[in-house]
Amino acid sequence: MSYLSELQKFYPHTYKLRYAIQRYNAHVEWEHEDPTVITIHETTLNYGGPEEGGWWYQAGLPVLTHCIFSKRQAIQTFIQYFDEYEIQEQPSLGISTTYSNYEVNFDSKYAAHYPTQRPYYC
């Protein structure tokens, strides 16, 4: 069961708000600054190579960068995009019938392609 499913189970009316606040606070904790944008990427799993039975890596194509100016606006906008891009209803990228998913994140820089260089097996 996913983290979002657990939140929805215990907090059916406020789980999106709780998830958005948790993501905001995680950004502040890791980056030591408030986020300045919300980024949206279309993510895909790409084949990395045949080593050890094959491996895959996640790549992101930038879709949107939305500037934010306050924590309140950031949380509201995050929830808006969460609903608009149907984040919770997306199947896992690991399912063979799923080509791509959308990812909504808080960030301090504009949305950009990732990874910048193709990863390789060590």
Side-chain angles (χ1 to χ4, degrees):
M1 190 172 254
S2 73
Y3 176 68
L4 264 174
S5 299
E6 286 290 314
L7 274 180
Q8 186 176 16
K9 179 179 166 185
F10 291 109
Y11 308 104
H13 302 292
T14 60
Y15 74 97
K16 291 177 191 175
L17 177 63
R18 290 170 183 271
Y19 181 66
I21 291 170
Q22 184 273 331
R23 297 291 301 269
Y24 186 97
N25 291 338
H27 175 84
V28 171
E29 182 180 330
W30 282 92
E31 301 296 330
H32 304 292
E33 64 182 0
D34 288 339
T36 55
V37 296
I38 293 174
T39 60
I40 300 176
H41 288 86
E42 182 178 9
T43 59
T44 59
L45 278 182
N46 296 342
Y47 184 66
E51 298 85 3
E52 294 193 27
W55 59 279
W56 299 77
Y57 65 95
Q58 188 170 333
L61 177 69
V63 173
L64 180 123
T65 300
H66 184 107
C67 293
I68 51 178
F69 302 101
S70 70
K71 185 173 183 177
R72 181 182 202 148
Q73 180 215 8
I75 301 300
Q76 290 172 341
T77 305
F78 185 94
I79 293 170
Q80 173 192 336
Y81 287 131
F82 183 90
D83 290 338
E84 185 177 327
Y85 286 90
E86 300 174 343
I87 300 301
Q88 187 170 356
E89 287 79 32
Q90 298 180 115
S92 170
L93 276 178
I95 297 173
S96 63
T97 58
T98 305
Y99 175 71
S100 67
N101 278 347
Y102 288 98
E103 181 180 87
V104 180
N105 286 309
F106 290 107
D107 211 330
S108 298
K109 55 190 178 302
Y110 64 91
H113 292 273
Y114 69 85
T116 54
Q117 294 182 343
R118 186 181 185 279
Y120 60 91
Y121 189 81
C122 299

